[in-house]
mmCIF file of all heavy atoms in Angstrom:
data_model
loop_
_atom_site.group_PDB
_atom_site.id
_atom_site.type_symbol
_atom_site.label_atom_id
_atom_site.label_comp_id
_atom_site.label_asym_id
_atom_site.label_seq_id
_atom_site.Cartn_x
_atom_site.Cartn_y
_atom_site.Cartn_z
ATOM 1 N N ARG A 109 98.009 -19.963 44.485
ATOM 2 C CA ARG A 109 99.453 -19.950 44.266
ATOM 3 C C ARG A 109 99.806 -19.862 42.784
ATOM 4 O O ARG A 109 100.752 -19.183 42.408
ATOM 5 C CB ARG A 109 100.087 -21.164 44.912
ATOM 6 C CG ARG A 109 100.038 -21.012 46.431
ATOM 7 C CD ARG A 109 101.070 -21.859 47.061
ATOM 8 N NE ARG A 109 100.476 -23.125 47.397
ATOM 9 C CZ ARG A 109 100.916 -23.889 48.371
ATOM 10 N NH1 ARG A 109 101.963 -23.533 49.088
ATOM 11 N NH2 ARG A 109 100.329 -25.025 48.655
ATOM 12 N N ALA A 110 99.012 -20.532 41.939
ATOM 13 C CA ALA A 110 99.304 -20.454 40.496
ATOM 14 C C ALA A 110 99.181 -19.005 40.031
ATOM 15 O O ALA A 110 100.037 -18.505 39.289
ATOM 16 C CB ALA A 110 98.343 -21.347 39.716
ATOM 17 N N VAL A 111 98.132 -18.330 40.496
ATOM 18 C CA VAL A 111 97.926 -16.939 40.101
ATOM 19 C C VAL A 111 99.104 -16.080 40.554
ATOM 20 O O VAL A 111 99.597 -15.224 39.814
ATOM 21 C CB VAL A 111 96.576 -16.430 40.681
ATOM 22 C CG1 VAL A 111 96.519 -14.925 40.724
ATOM 23 C CG2 VAL A 111 95.416 -16.984 39.870
ATOM 24 N N VAL A 112 99.580 -16.313 41.761
ATOM 25 C CA VAL A 112 100.729 -15.537 42.256
ATOM 26 C C VAL A 112 101.939 -15.758 41.332
ATOM 27 O O VAL A 112 102.633 -14.806 40.953
ATOM 28 C CB VAL A 112 101.076 -15.920 43.715
ATOM 29 C CG1 VAL A 112 102.355 -15.216 44.176
ATOM 30 C CG2 VAL A 112 99.917 -15.605 44.651
ATOM 31 N N ARG A 113 102.161 -17.000 40.937
ATOM 32 C CA ARG A 113 103.318 -17.270 40.050
ATOM 33 C C ARG A 113 103.148 -16.572 38.707
ATOM 34 O O ARG A 113 104.100 -15.993 38.176
ATOM 35 C CB ARG A 113 103.489 -18.782 39.863
ATOM 36 C CG ARG A 113 104.081 -19.474 41.101
ATOM 37 C CD ARG A 113 104.539 -20.883 40.787
ATOM 38 N NE ARG A 113 103.405 -21.750 40.506
ATOM 39 C CZ ARG A 113 102.749 -22.465 41.443
ATOM 40 N NH1 ARG A 113 103.141 -22.433 42.708
ATOM 41 N NH2 ARG A 113 101.732 -23.219 41.113
ATOM 42 N N TRP A 114 101.923 -16.610 38.154
ATOM 43 C CA TRP A 114 101.702 -15.930 36.863
ATOM 44 C C TRP A 114 101.990 -14.435 37.009
ATOM 45 O O TRP A 114 102.610 -13.832 36.146
ATOM 46 C CB TRP A 114 100.260 -16.115 36.369
ATOM 47 C CG TRP A 114 99.844 -17.540 36.166
ATOM 48 C CD1 TRP A 114 100.666 -18.622 35.989
ATOM 49 C CD2 TRP A 114 98.502 -18.042 36.128
ATOM 50 N NE1 TRP A 114 99.914 -19.760 35.853
ATOM 51 C CE2 TRP A 114 98.584 -19.443 35.918
ATOM 52 C CE3 TRP A 114 97.240 -17.456 36.236
ATOM 53 C CZ2 TRP A 114 97.443 -20.251 35.825
ATOM 54 C CZ3 TRP A 114 96.114 -18.261 36.143
ATOM 55 C CH2 TRP A 114 96.218 -19.644 35.935
ATOM 56 N N LEU A 115 101.499 -13.846 38.098
ATOM 57 C CA LEU A 115 101.697 -12.408 38.303
ATOM 58 C C LEU A 115 103.181 -12.081 38.406
ATOM 59 O O LEU A 115 103.668 -11.116 37.809
ATOM 60 C CB LEU A 115 100.999 -11.952 39.590
ATOM 61 C CG LEU A 115 99.472 -12.011 39.573
ATOM 62 C CD1 LEU A 115 98.930 -11.889 40.996
ATOM 63 C CD2 LEU A 115 98.890 -10.913 38.679
ATOM 64 N N HIS A 116 103.877 -12.894 39.158
ATOM 65 C CA HIS A 116 105.315 -12.706 39.337
ATOM 66 C C HIS A 116 106.007 -12.741 37.981
ATOM 67 O O HIS A 116 106.786 -11.858 37.628
ATOM 68 C CB HIS A 116 105.834 -13.809 40.271
ATOM 69 C CG HIS A 116 107.245 -13.608 40.696
ATOM 70 N ND1 HIS A 116 107.960 -14.563 41.377
ATOM 71 C CD2 HIS A 116 108.086 -12.582 40.520
ATOM 72 C CE1 HIS A 116 109.171 -14.116 41.614
ATOM 73 N NE2 HIS A 116 109.270 -12.918 41.103
ATOM 74 N N GLU A 117 105.664 -13.768 37.206
ATOM 75 C CA GLU A 117 106.304 -13.920 35.889
ATOM 76 C C GLU A 117 105.959 -12.761 34.955
ATOM 77 O O GLU A 117 106.769 -12.366 34.126
ATOM 78 C CB GLU A 117 105.854 -15.241 35.241
ATOM 79 C CG GLU A 117 106.539 -16.446 35.863
ATOM 80 C CD GLU A 117 105.838 -17.767 35.556
ATOM 81 O OE1 GLU A 117 105.034 -17.825 34.607
ATOM 82 O OE2 GLU A 117 106.102 -18.735 36.285
ATOM 83 N N GLU A 118 104.750 -12.209 35.098
ATOM 84 C CA GLU A 118 104.339 -11.127 34.185
ATOM 85 C C GLU A 118 104.740 -9.750 34.713
ATOM 86 O O GLU A 118 104.376 -8.734 34.129
ATOM 87 C CB GLU A 118 102.814 -11.173 33.949
ATOM 88 C CG GLU A 118 102.302 -12.476 33.356
ATOM 89 C CD GLU A 118 102.864 -12.798 31.969
ATOM 90 O OE1 GLU A 118 103.389 -11.882 31.307
ATOM 91 O OE2 GLU A 118 102.789 -13.968 31.558
ATOM 92 N N GLY A 119 105.441 -9.705 35.834
ATOM 93 C CA GLY A 119 105.986 -8.429 36.310
ATOM 94 C C GLY A 119 105.021 -7.579 37.107
ATOM 95 O O GLY A 119 105.223 -6.373 37.236
ATOM 96 N N LEU A 120 103.962 -8.186 37.663
ATOM 97 C CA LEU A 120 103.033 -7.404 38.474
ATOM 98 C C LEU A 120 103.375 -7.544 39.949
ATOM 99 O O LEU A 120 104.032 -8.506 40.375
ATOM 100 C CB LEU A 120 101.585 -7.865 38.238
ATOM 101 C CG LEU A 120 100.900 -7.237 37.013
ATOM 102 C CD1 LEU A 120 101.418 -7.848 35.727
ATOM 103 C CD2 LEU A 120 99.387 -7.387 37.101
ATOM 104 N N ASN A 121 102.907 -6.592 40.727
ATOM 105 C CA ASN A 121 103.014 -6.650 42.178
ATOM 106 C C ASN A 121 101.671 -7.152 42.714
ATOM 107 O O ASN A 121 100.749 -7.416 41.944
ATOM 108 C CB ASN A 121 103.325 -5.277 42.743
ATOM 109 C CG ASN A 121 104.673 -4.768 42.267
ATOM 110 O OD1 ASN A 121 105.424 -5.476 41.602
ATOM 111 N ND2 ASN A 121 104.975 -3.531 42.596
ATOM 112 N N LEU A 122 101.561 -7.257 44.038
ATOM 113 C CA LEU A 122 100.355 -7.857 44.603
ATOM 114 C C LEU A 122 99.861 -7.089 45.819
ATOM 115 O O LEU A 122 100.649 -6.742 46.699
ATOM 116 C CB LEU A 122 100.692 -9.308 45.001
ATOM 117 C CG LEU A 122 99.571 -10.147 45.571
ATOM 118 C CD1 LEU A 122 98.424 -10.311 44.580
ATOM 119 C CD2 LEU A 122 100.105 -11.527 45.950
ATOM 120 N N ASP A 123 98.548 -6.847 45.824
ATOM 121 C CA ASP A 123 97.909 -6.227 46.993
ATOM 122 C C ASP A 123 97.207 -7.338 47.772
ATOM 123 O O ASP A 123 96.424 -8.100 47.211
ATOM 124 C CB ASP A 123 96.971 -5.130 46.472
ATOM 125 C CG ASP A 123 95.608 -4.986 47.152
ATOM 126 O OD1 ASP A 123 95.379 -5.577 48.215
ATOM 127 O OD2 ASP A 123 94.764 -4.261 46.597
#
Side-chain angles (χ1 to χ4, degrees):
R109 289 202 267 206
V111 160
V112 174
R113 285 193 292 270
W114 301 339
L115 293 165
H116 189 189
E117 284 163 18
E118 301 298 342
L120 276 75
N121 297 354
L122 182 61
D123 139 12

